[in-house]
């Protein structure tokens, strides 16, 4: 007697995972900005960097502020979201924080605002010029290491410990994906703007922005 075998049906109760959205190219963002369905733009750089070079219409939500208030902000982040930083690194960090808060509609601007200006400068705007934060960190760290090396040769070998301390700090920064030096530099007078972003201000701005987007989106034809 022949026996028949049955193939078990696939388990549809198992949770499915959504593949992460690919980065958005500057060209794709430029096309969206020219359309009536522009995404919500969130710039996660420091206020000084945002003032120096930005995509007009972007909301400045510094990475540390977003990280501390991601659940509150996530409630306002509806529709398509584009995360912007200098070159893409901080935007990717912001993306992970938002995913942890349940936001799955965010994408990172590939190459950051630098790439946007290089490819579509008409969609960027410059203000008071300041060095980008990563450039300031490199300048300070390099200067301290050089001071430690020269001091160990000209003053005392003990001054060389300064270079070692900076190296240890940079190693810790890489391991923890944080930067105490950048946080300190952000408080310097030359990095201050007239009004720093606050959660209350952002919560007031973002709903208005998304409402404008909804009003601009053409209704589907019946």
């Amino acid at each position: 007697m022949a026996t028949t075998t049955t193939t078990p049906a696939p388990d549809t109760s198992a949770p499915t995972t959504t593949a992460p959205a690919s980065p958005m190219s500057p060209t794709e963002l430029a096309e969206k900005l020219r359309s009536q369905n522009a995404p919500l733009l969130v710039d996660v750089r420091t206020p000084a960097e945002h003032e120096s070079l930005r995509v007009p219409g972007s909301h400045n939500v510094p990475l540390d502020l977003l990280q501390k208030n991601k659940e509150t902000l996530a409630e306002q982040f509806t529709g398509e979201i584009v995360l912007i930083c200098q070159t893409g690194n901080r935007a990717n960090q912001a993306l992970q924080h938002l995913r942890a808060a349940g936001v799955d509609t965010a994408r990172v601007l590939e190459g950051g605002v630098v790439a946007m200006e290089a490819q579509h400068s008409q969609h960027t705007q410059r203000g008071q010029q300041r060095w980008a934060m990563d450039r300031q960190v490199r300048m300070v760290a390099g200067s301290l290491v050089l001071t430690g090396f020269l001091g160990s040769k000209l003053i005392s070998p003990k001054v060389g410990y300064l270079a070692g301390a900076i190296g240890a700090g940079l190693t810790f920064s890489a391991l923890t994906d944080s930067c105490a030096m950048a946080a300190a530099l952000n408080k310097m007078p030359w990095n201050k703007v007239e009004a720093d972003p606050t959660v209350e201000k952002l919560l007031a701005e973002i709903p208005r922005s998304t409402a404008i987007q909804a009003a601009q989106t053409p209704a589907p034809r019946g």
Side-chain angles (χ1 to χ4, degrees):
M1 180 176 178
T3 59
T4 59
T5 59
T6 59
T7 302
D11 184 6
T12 58
S13 63
T16 58
T17 57
T18 303
S22 60
M24 181 177 293
S25 69
T27 298
E28 183 180 355
L29 178 57
E31 292 173 352
K32 288 180 177 291
L33 292 176
R34 288 192 294 266
S35 71
Q36 292 184 322
N37 193 22
L40 179 66
L41 307 178
V42 179
D43 190 327
V44 300
R45 297 174 299 157
T46 66
E49 290 175 297
H50 179 258
E51 184 182 79
S52 298
L53 174 64
R54 62 188 176 275
V55 178
S58 58
H59 299 274
N60 186 210
V61 189
L63 181 59
D64 59 343
L65 186 66
L66 183 146
Q67 180 180 2
K68 294 175 184 177
N69 301 275
K70 57 180 180 291
E71 288 84 5
T72 301
L73 292 171
E75 296 176 359
Q76 302 292 339
F77 287 171
T78 59
E80 188 174 28
I81 302 160
V82 179
L83 300 170
I84 303 171
C85 69
Q86 195 73 10
T87 58
N89 182 46
R90 279 172 284 178
N92 276 296
Q93 294 179 50
L95 180 65
Q96 299 306 316
H97 291 310
L98 290 179
R99 284 179 180 167
V103 177
D104 57 3
T105 57
R107 297 172 66 185
V108 171
L109 175 61
E110 188 174 21
V113 70
V114 172
M116 191 69 183
E117 184 185 39
Q119 299 179 35
H120 299 279
S121 59
Q122 71 274 23
H123 292 294
T124 60
Q125 180 179 353
R126 282 192 172 272
Q128 182 177 347
Q129 293 307 295
R130 298 180 177 90
W131 281 11
M133 186 55 64
D134 59 344
R135 186 180 181 187
Q136 293 185 42
V137 169
R138 293 197 304 270
M139 181 64 181
V140 173
S143 298
L144 291 175
V145 170
L146 181 60
T147 299
F149 172 77
L150 294 177
S152 68
K153 299 295 184 181
L154 302 176
I155 302 174
S156 169
K158 293 183 179 180
V159 182
Y161 289 120
L162 176 62
I166 296 300
L170 292 174
T171 301
F172 179 79
S173 174
L175 292 174
T176 60
D177 202 13
S178 63
C179 188
M181 186 178 293
L185 285 170
N186 190 42
K187 298 178 181 179
M188 294 296 103
W190 59 84
N191 284 323
K192 288 297 182 181
V193 298
E194 291 184 1
D196 287 340
T198 63
V199 174
E200 292 75 18
K201 180 182 178 182
L202 294 168
L203 292 178
E205 288 180 349
I206 292 174
R208 287 200 300 268
S209 178
T210 52
I212 292 172
Q213 292 178 50
Q216 291 177 338
T217 302
R221 297 179 178 178

